[in-house]
Amino acid sequence: INLFGEVISSDIENKTPENSMWDRGQKTSQPVDEFRLSPVTVFPTCNVDTCADYADLLLEQMKDVIGECRKCRLCETRNNVVPGEGNEHARLMFLGADEDMTGRPFVGKAGQLLDKIILAMGMNREDVFIGNIVKCRPPQNRVPSPDEMSICLPYLLRQIDCIRPKVIVLLGATALHGLINPKASITKSRGIWTKIIIDNSYEIWTMPTFHPAALLRDPLKKRDVWEDMKMVMKKLEEGD
């Protein structure tokens, strides 16, 4: 039995996700970190103001810009550019790091599990936006370097600004490092809300959690991810 396919979907149908079989004891309030995206909090070489170069571009136009990018070494080894896909008005956005064979994010086994997670949350893949921290997959499946992530960050920030989601779920350490803190531990950071402020004007809640690939390696982590997703669902139900 796939826990995201059957057990969790029953919770959604009963409209009582708090009563999941994974609940253990009384829930505690989660701490909230708040800071602004800046050269200090992201990377020393990346200034959030550089996304102003794309300020007039729409989400669909960003795909063309990203597809032509040759700003870093990853353009030499990529199979396909992966700009991201989904609802351009999504209230929920997922960011991670995934393969680039098809040019679409999260379409392999990890993506199939992510689809089940989204379905268990009462949504479909078409209701959310799914993207990657870097738009070109590094060779040999290695982790993107800080400079590669910083070069791609303005593209991502413009996409976020176009979509303006209420919540961004950060799937795994790479997404956490690329958008929030390059030194943070995903194990210690998951389940903790962080509020980011883009361009000193727009606030977005972020929720770090384990990457779906980690759940395939260690199914026990599904319990932690579902606890995180219940908090995400609750946040989405709150007023803007």
Side-chain angles (χ1 to χ4, degrees):
I1 296 176
N2 185 294
L3 291 176
F4 284 115
E6 296 187 14
V7 174
I8 294 181
S9 61
S10 66
D11 292 331
I12 298 298
E13 291 169 2
N14 294 330
K15 307 297 183 182
T16 56
E18 295 79 9
N19 296 326
S20 166
M21 63 173 288
W22 289 347
D23 283 334
R24 296 293 184 268
Q26 186 173 359
K27 295 180 70 63
T28 57
S29 59
Q30 295 293 324
V32 174
D33 263 341
E34 180 175 347
F35 54 85
R36 298 177 184 275
L37 277 177
S38 71
V40 176
T41 55
V42 185
F43 295 107
T45 58
C46 180
N47 193 316
V48 71
D49 292 338
T50 57
C51 68
D53 294 341
Y54 315 111
D56 296 328
L57 297 184
L58 301 177
L59 194 62
E60 192 66 27
Q61 293 173 312
M62 285 301 299
K63 290 184 179 181
D64 296 332
V65 173
I66 293 169
E68 297 173 358
C69 180
R70 301 191 63 83
K71 292 184 177 181
C72 79
R73 65 186 75 88
L74 294 183
C75 69
E76 301 171 0
T77 57
R78 66 193 180 199
N79 293 300
N80 290 287
V81 177
V82 187
E85 66 179 28
N87 190 327
E88 63 181 19
H89 302 295
R91 299 182 72 240
L92 177 60
M93 188 173 187
F94 289 88
L95 291 178
D98 196 41
E99 51 88 14
D100 64 354
M101 295 304 297
T102 66
R104 298 180 59 209
F106 286 89
V107 294
K109 291 184 178 179
Q112 293 170 11
L113 183 53
L114 177 60
D115 288 347
K116 292 179 179 178
I117 294 172
I118 295 170
L119 185 62
M121 297 172 72
M123 293 176 280
N124 295 310
R125 187 180 177 104
E126 295 76 17
D127 298 323
V128 305
F129 191 91
I130 303 173
N132 291 333
I133 285 294
V134 294
K135 309 306 182 183
C136 304
R137 185 65 172 160
Q140 285 78 54
N141 203 31
R142 66 167 172 80
V143 175
S145 65
D147 67 297
E148 290 165 351
M149 287 191 280
S150 68
I151 289 171
C152 248
L153 185 60
Y155 297 144
L156 177 60
L157 290 174
R158 178 54 189 159
Q159 289 179 307
I160 293 173
D161 191 42
C162 287
I163 299 166
R164 299 213 164 191
K166 182 180 179 69
V167 175
I168 298 176
V169 174
L170 302 174
L171 300 169
T174 299
L176 175 65
H177 294 166
L179 190 61
I180 301 297
N181 185 346
K183 297 182 179 180
S185 162
I186 187 61
T187 301
K188 295 180 180 179
S189 300
R190 60 140 294 267
I192 299 177
W193 286 112
T194 297
K195 186 190 295 183
I196 61 174
I197 304 172
I198 295 180
D199 201 22
N200 294 317
S201 61
Y202 184 62
E203 298 181 349
I204 301 174
W205 292 95
T206 67
M207 172 59 68
T209 195
F210 293 123
H211 194 286
L215 309 188
L216 296 175
R217 295 190 296 268
D218 182 4
L220 292 179
K221 285 187 169 66
K222 290 181 179 180
R223 300 186 178 191
D224 294 326
V225 171
W226 183 236
E227 291 298 322
D228 299 342
M229 295 306 100
K230 287 195 295 184
M231 288 192 288
V232 169
M233 287 186 288
K234 185 175 181 180
K235 180 66 66 177
L236 291 173
E237 290 173 356
E238 296 175 358
D240 295 328

